[in-house]
Amino acid sequence: MLSRLWLLALVSSVVTRAFAYISLNESQVKSKTANHHWLILYTATDDLVNQWQSLSDNYSDWQSYGVYFAQVDCNKEACEDVKKSQIRLYSEGALVQTVDPGKTSTWQPVLEQHILSSAIARSVPITNMDMLTRIKQSGSPWFIKYYAPWCGHCKNLAPVWENLAMDHAASNINLGEVNCETNRDLCSAENVAGLPTIYFYNHGFRFTFTGQRDLDSFKAYLQKMTGPAFQTTDHAALPSILKEPVSLVYVHAAKQKNMDDLERVAKGVMDRLPVYTTSDPKMDKALKGTGKLPRLVMIKHDGAVQLVNDGATSTWLSWVQSHQYPLVTRIASNNANEILKGKRMVALLLQSSDQLSNAFEDVSSQWEQQEHDTHVTFAQLNAQTWSAFAKRVYSVETSDLPAIVIVDPIRKLYFKTDLHGDVFSITQSEALFAALEHPEQLQGQTTDVPRSMSLVQKALVFMGDHGLKLSIGLIILAAIVFVLSNSRDPLPTAMPIDPRADDDDHEKKE
């Protein structure tokens, strides 16, 4: 019986492997490739057939997404215009590309690029690191959700995500999904801190989606993220540019036509800030660094803060990423993990309202316009609304507001006092700056605190927070019990229990 089962499994394996790609006659190619995406190998050597078999095995699951492998053996039939091995790539009836495997050793990446950039009408489950790495390296736009089956918000997202995949069935944007319950290594590698997390991968960059999780918001986001990386402007548009929280303007000579370096930078910050290019002389005069061409100008705070980079293009991306934040970023649920668990130091103002502090913006402006080695994000948190979080993570009570803490997300530490042991203050910006420059000299506490407490811990915290009220309540309760117990009529004296009677009863029951 076992030998029969083994034989059946072997036959099943062989059959499955044999059908990883199909054999076609040349006359069948036109009708077969009219729909979906096809990769067809023509006239191959034995070695190339084995490689073809291996590649098609790797993507055998993709047949359900409309990606098919096939072979036309021109050794057995005459193939028109085919004199040597070649691979033809088709999409929805059109011949997209012809690849000569004899000329290049990198033909497999070319084919994988074709697969990963083909329009797919479903969300593709991503189950291993190799697949995710290929997607990230492809440079093609992929929108991927990280979820878990037990997550309530993830369940609400599921039908919207399915509709979004169908809506983009014919576009070059593909959707994928990673189950963090069964693929925890992938979610850990991608720094997924909450569920659902949605990343957009494109041009070698990863962006975090932080908007509303509805169909219209998703569609608007994808349209923006796959649109032009920058736009041309002139002096007439400057007032509207200044109204942006942060914007980047590339000022260049009129004769300059190559924008490849700018495009590379702009693609890396598409979700952060608008990028403009101009050769308008009036614009050049209106912005800081007049006459230095080309240059980047980062504009913040209605133009009051203008940072200039007129150095080598190799410094542009890191410089832009260092200065891309507003003077003060308001912490909300959609950006809390990114900022408070990111890679930059955070100067965090905790106060009792959502209104941005002008004084704290002035402190941030001072920092921005000085030269510092430490990259810092200045942020503000409504600790009245987030009181439980502020107390649990930073030990800041509502009675302590306003308060400033420095957060070091990489070391998972926070600091409430400066180098001299004094509490941080908005009016003492130099002390704050010195602490930001030398966090290793500060006395810190961990931000890696447990999310929940035991019942005993909660009881102790409650008693500590409400000791006076609790004591008064217990006194009142004791008084009520005393009054009630003395106001009732005395009960008649009970007859003594006779153990023997119990014994008799037991005997009777037995």
Side-chain angles (χ1 to χ4, degrees), residues 18 78 105 306:
S105 59
Q306 295 187 27

Side-chain angles (χ1 to χ4, degrees), residues 402-404 416-418 420-426 428 431:
I404 296 176
K416 300 175 73 172
T417 54
D418 61 24
H420 303 291
D422 297 324
V423 174
F424 292 120
S425 169
I426 291 180
Q428 301 297 322

Side-chain angles (χ1 to χ4, degrees), residues 104-150:
T104 174
S105 59
T106 58
W107 61 270
Q108 291 196 38
V110 173
L111 268 58
E112 289 186 339
Q113 173 67 28
H114 174 73
I115 295 170
L116 297 174
S117 61
S118 298
I120 298 172
R122 292 172 53 194
S123 179
V124 180
I126 300 166
T127 57
N128 60 75
M129 186 61 73
D130 286 342
M131 184 176 179
L132 181 59
T133 300
R134 287 197 297 269
I135 286 173
K136 291 165 62 176
Q137 293 177 348
S138 71
S140 298
W142 277 78
F143 205 31
I144 299 176
K145 71 170 181 177
Y146 294 78
Y147 75 101
W150 45 261

Side-chain angles (χ1 to χ4, degrees), residues 438-496:
H438 303 285
E440 72 283 354
Q441 298 180 24
L442 301 175
Q443 295 295 319
Q445 294 176 274
T446 181
T447 58
D448 197 15
V449 294
R451 287 185 171 273
S452 60
M453 298 180 288
S454 66
L455 289 175
V456 173
Q457 287 175 311
K458 289 179 179 179
L460 291 174
V461 170
F462 180 83
M463 291 173 66
D465 290 346
H466 307 282
L468 179 60
K469 295 179 181 177
L470 189 60
S471 299
I472 295 173
L474 289 174
I475 292 172
I476 293 173
L477 180 62
I480 293 173
V481 171
F482 178 79
V483 171
L484 290 176
S485 63
N486 285 280
S487 63
R488 298 175 62 185
D489 294 332
L491 294 174
T493 305
M495 295 295 291

Side-chain angles (χ1 to χ4, degrees), residues 296-371:
L296 294 174
V297 183
M298 186 79 73
I299 304 172
K300 305 182 183 183
H301 206 45
D302 298 327
V305 176
Q306 295 187 27
L307 309 173
V308 176
N309 184 332
D310 57 356
T313 57
S314 59
T315 67
W316 285 4
L317 183 58
S318 60
W319 180 82
V320 170
Q321 290 176 336
S322 297
H323 298 286
Q324 63 184 325
Y325 295 94
L327 285 182
V328 177
T329 300
R330 186 182 287 109
I331 298 293
S333 57
N334 62 0
N335 65 3
N337 281 331
E338 177 189 356
I339 294 174
L340 300 178
K341 294 184 178 182
K343 297 181 180 180
R344 295 164 58 97
M345 296 284 288
V346 182
L348 180 63
L349 171 65
L350 299 99
Q351 61 176 26
S352 57
S353 72
D354 281 323
Q355 180 155 0
L356 290 176
S357 166
N358 292 333
F360 199 53
E361 285 185 320
D362 290 340
V363 172
S364 175
S365 177
Q366 292 176 41
W367 174 271
E368 281 273 18
Q369 298 183 71
Q370 298 174 6
E371 292 294 331

Side-chain angles (χ1 to χ4, degrees), residues 28 66 114 128 140 153 167 202 221 227 241 273 276-277 290 306-307 312 391 490:
Q28 298 174 300
H114 174 73
N128 60 75
S140 298
H153 293 300
D167 191 73
N202 201 16
Y221 176 80
I241 293 174
L273 67 158
Y276 304 93
T277 176
T290 301
Q306 295 187 27
L307 309 173
K391 180 178 180 179

Side-chain angles (χ1 to χ4, degrees), residues 193-231:
L195 298 174
T197 290
I198 303 172
Y199 289 142
F200 180 67
Y201 299 88
N202 201 16
H203 306 302
F205 296 101
R206 186 188 76 186
F207 306 94
T208 304
F209 176 80
T210 58
Q212 296 295 316
R213 294 189 288 265
D214 59 73
L215 188 60
D216 289 340
S217 297
F218 283 141
K219 290 167 67 175
Y221 176 80
L222 292 176
Q223 183 177 10
K224 170 190 172 185
M225 295 300 289
T226 54
F230 59 87
Q231 54 186 300

